[in-house]
């Protein structure tokens, strides 16, 4: 049985229309008008037990709404969902013993208390044996490198330190499934990589499945084998991450800074020059046509490098390309391809 089964899930919100002007505002008090917002529009997908699945999309796409339904926080408008054999909005208490969740912008640790206090409280909430709790805290503290942080009030921790404690706390009761909603938001590169490495290790050692939402394509690339892209409440892409990389993440952006001034005629074969400054250049290239190693080698030959940053296109750009391909495919099938 899959860990997650979602079938035609929908969520519609009823929101009050904002009136413009004093007269209209008074009328809206007496006779308010509403409009319906479709946050999720009939999505269906499966996630296998122990799988690392990426669930990505831009702001307002429906990611967090889906996660909240899967954890039992929200009721759907229509459709079905089964999480580890439970219907989340009907069996929320039973499901809570089997899953862990982290919402990047909604901390679960007590702000003014040391993280160890929240860990011990969770042990009581989940009705765990005291000896098991002590052993589990010691294991998680070593895995997440937070041993020296447990006695420090959460308010004094950096964002990266706090998020490591948050993810560790969600794993205290040894859940079968972990739902991570933007766990790396606002973190620096080093902090992101620490969380990625530790989550991957827990998946390998304990077989915990992970459903991960993120704005960072790097999170998905580093952790997940399969990916779902959602936009405007609908699934627009569902495939292996390797296929996503091969088809949509071949374009790379490069920002370079040199120790000396850059020639206004700066050019590298096979690379598009976007911008030339006094000491830096911004470039773009396609890895399917020009290998990264060749580009880096040519950049080094051009002068003394101070800094090089290579980044993927934004998720918004990836989604736009997916839509463009789908539109061209539909036009071709209808015989209207330009």
């Amino acid at each position: 049985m899959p860990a997650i089964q979602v079938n035609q899930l929908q969520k519609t919100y009823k929101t009050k229309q904002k009136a413009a002007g004093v007269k209209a505002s008074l009328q809206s008090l007496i006779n308010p008008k509403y409009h319906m917002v479709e946050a999720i529009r009939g999505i269906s997908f499966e996630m296998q037990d122990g799988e690392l699945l990426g669930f990505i999309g831009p702001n307002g796409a429906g990611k967090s709404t889906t996660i909240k339904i899967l954890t039992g926080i929200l009721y759907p408008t229509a459709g079905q969902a089964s999480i580890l054999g439970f219907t989340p909005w009907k069996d929320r208490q039973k499901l809570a013993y089997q899953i862990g969740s982290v919402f990047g912008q909604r901390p679960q640790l007590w702000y003014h208390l040391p993280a160890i206090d929240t860990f011990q409280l969770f042990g009581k909430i989940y009705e765990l044996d005291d000896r098991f709790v002590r052993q589990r805290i010691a294991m998680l503290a070593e895995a997440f490198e937070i041993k020296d942080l447990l006695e420090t009030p959460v308010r004094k921790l950096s964002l990266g330190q706090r998020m490591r404690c948050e993810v560790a706390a969600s794993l205290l009761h040894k859940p079968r499934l972990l739902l991570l909603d933007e766990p790396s938001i606002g973190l620096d590169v080093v902090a992101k990589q620490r969380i990625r490495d530790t989550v991957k290790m827990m998946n390998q050692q304990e077989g915990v499945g992970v459903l991960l939402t993120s704005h960072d394509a790097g999170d998905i690339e580093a952790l997940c084998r399969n990916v779902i892209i959602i936009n405007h409440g609908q699934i627009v892409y569902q495939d292996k991450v390797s296929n996503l990389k091969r088809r949509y993440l071949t374009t790379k952006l490069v920002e370079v800074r040199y120790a000396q001034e850059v020639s206004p005629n700066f050019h590298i074969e096979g690379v598009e020059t976007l911008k030339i400054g006094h000491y830096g250049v911004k470039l773009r290239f396609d890895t399917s046509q020009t290998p990264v190693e060749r580009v880096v080698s040519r950049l080094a030959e051009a002068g003394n490098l101070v800094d090089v940053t290579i980044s993927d296109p934004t998720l918004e750009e990836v989604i736009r390309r997916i839509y463009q391909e789908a539109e061209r495919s539909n036009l071709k099938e209808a015989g209207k391809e330009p």
Side-chain angles (χ1 to χ4, degrees), residues 240-313:
K240 294 182 178 179
V241 172
S242 57
N243 292 337
L244 177 71
K245 289 170 60 179
R246 185 164 54 248
R247 292 182 61 183
Y248 300 107
L249 294 177
T250 57
T251 300
K252 300 288 184 181
L253 294 175
V254 185
E255 294 187 55
V256 187
R257 186 168 180 81
Y258 287 99
Q260 72 281 348
E261 289 192 15
V262 179
S263 168
N265 299 319
F266 184 95
H267 175 70
I268 295 177
E269 185 178 352
V271 178
E272 180 185 0
T273 303
L274 301 178
K275 183 180 179 181
I276 299 178
H278 289 297
Y279 294 94
V281 292
K282 188 173 183 179
L283 312 166
R284 179 167 57 200
F285 68 99
D286 190 333
T287 56
S288 64
Q289 305 295 326
T290 309
V292 175
E293 295 82 2
R294 184 189 303 173
V295 174
V296 174
S297 176
R298 296 292 184 271
L299 290 172
E301 292 173 359
N304 295 324
L305 293 172
V306 174
D307 188 33
V308 178
T309 302
I310 301 177
S311 58
D312 292 309

Side-chain angles (χ1 to χ4, degrees), residues 30 57 60 95 168-169 177 187 192 201 229 279-280 291 296 334:
I30 301 172
L95 180 62
L177 177 64
L187 301 186
K192 284 182 181 181
M201 181 186 68
I229 297 180
Y279 294 94
V296 174

Side-chain angles (χ1 to χ4, degrees), residues 12-19 27-37:
T12 303
Y13 293 99
K14 183 179 180 181
T15 63
K16 187 177 180 180
Q17 291 183 351
K18 187 176 181 180
Q27 290 178 343
S28 68
L29 291 174
I30 301 172
N31 186 24
K33 295 182 179 180
Y34 298 90
H35 70 279
M36 308 305 290
V37 177

Side-chain angles (χ1 to χ4, degrees), residues 161-333:
Q161 292 171 337
R162 181 175 67 78
M163 287 310 303
R164 276 186 282 154
C165 292
E166 291 275 358
V167 178
S170 70
L171 290 165
L172 181 70
H173 57 297
K174 208 170 184 178
R176 291 174 54 193
L177 177 64
L178 186 62
L179 297 102
L180 302 177
D181 187 22
E182 302 286 358
S184 64
I185 190 168
L187 301 186
D188 59 42
V189 175
V190 175
K192 284 182 181 181
Q193 192 58 49
R194 281 183 176 176
I195 289 180
R196 291 170 185 169
D197 292 342
T198 311
V199 168
K200 195 169 185 177
M201 181 186 68
M202 296 301 292
N203 169 261
Q204 294 170 346
Q205 291 185 356
E206 299 190 351
V208 58
V210 180
L211 179 62
L212 169 68
T213 79
S214 178
H215 276 88
D216 190 337
D219 287 344
I220 307 303
E221 188 175 350
L223 284 173
C224 303
R225 181 179 180 184
N226 298 306
V227 63
I228 294 172
I229 297 180
I230 184 173
N231 196 25
H232 300 300
Q234 296 177 306
I235 293 176
V236 297
Y237 184 87
Q238 187 170 357
D239 204 347
K240 294 182 178 179
V241 172
S242 57
N243 292 337
L244 177 71
K245 289 170 60 179
R246 185 164 54 248
R247 292 182 61 183
Y248 300 107
L249 294 177
T250 57
T251 300
K252 300 288 184 181
L253 294 175
V254 185
E255 294 187 55
V256 187
R257 186 168 180 81
Y258 287 99
Q260 72 281 348
E261 289 192 15
V262 179
S263 168
N265 299 319
F266 184 95
H267 175 70
I268 295 177
E269 185 178 352
V271 178
E272 180 185 0
T273 303
L274 301 178
K275 183 180 179 181
I276 299 178
H278 289 297
Y279 294 94
V281 292
K282 188 173 183 179
L283 312 166
R284 179 167 57 200
F285 68 99
D286 190 333
T287 56
S288 64
Q289 305 295 326
T290 309
V292 175
E293 295 82 2
R294 184 189 303 173
V295 174
V296 174
S297 176
R298 296 292 184 271
L299 290 172
E301 292 173 359
N304 295 324
L305 293 172
V306 174
D307 188 33
V308 178
T309 302
I310 301 177
S311 58
D312 292 309
T314 64
L315 288 179
E316 286 75 11
E317 184 177 338
V318 172
I319 292 169
R320 183 170 63 251
R321 288 186 59 190
I322 291 172
Y323 270 129
Q324 289 172 346
E325 283 194 6
E327 188 175 346
R328 284 196 297 267
S329 178
N330 292 335
L331 289 173
K332 187 175 182 180
E333 291 178 0

Side-chain angles (χ1 to χ4, degrees), residues 67-132:
I67 294 291
K68 289 174 182 176
I69 290 175
L70 297 182
T71 55
I73 296 173
L74 293 179
Y75 279 69
T77 304
Q80 295 85 38
S82 174
I83 315 298
L84 301 174
F86 298 102
T87 300
W89 52 93
K90 294 180 180 179
D91 306 307
R92 185 180 178 187
Q93 186 172 355
K94 294 179 182 178
L95 180 62
Y97 286 87
Q98 303 295 324
I99 66 171
S101 60
V102 175
F103 294 88
Q105 296 177 317
R106 295 181 181 274
Q108 59 186 336
L109 299 175
W110 285 67
Y111 185 67
H112 295 290
L113 297 178
I116 187 69
D117 289 356
T118 301
F119 280 50
Q120 291 170 346
L121 174 62
F122 281 6
K124 298 298 183 183
I125 291 174
Y126 288 111
E127 302 173 357
L128 302 174
D129 179 75
D130 289 344
R131 183 180 178 185
F132 173 84

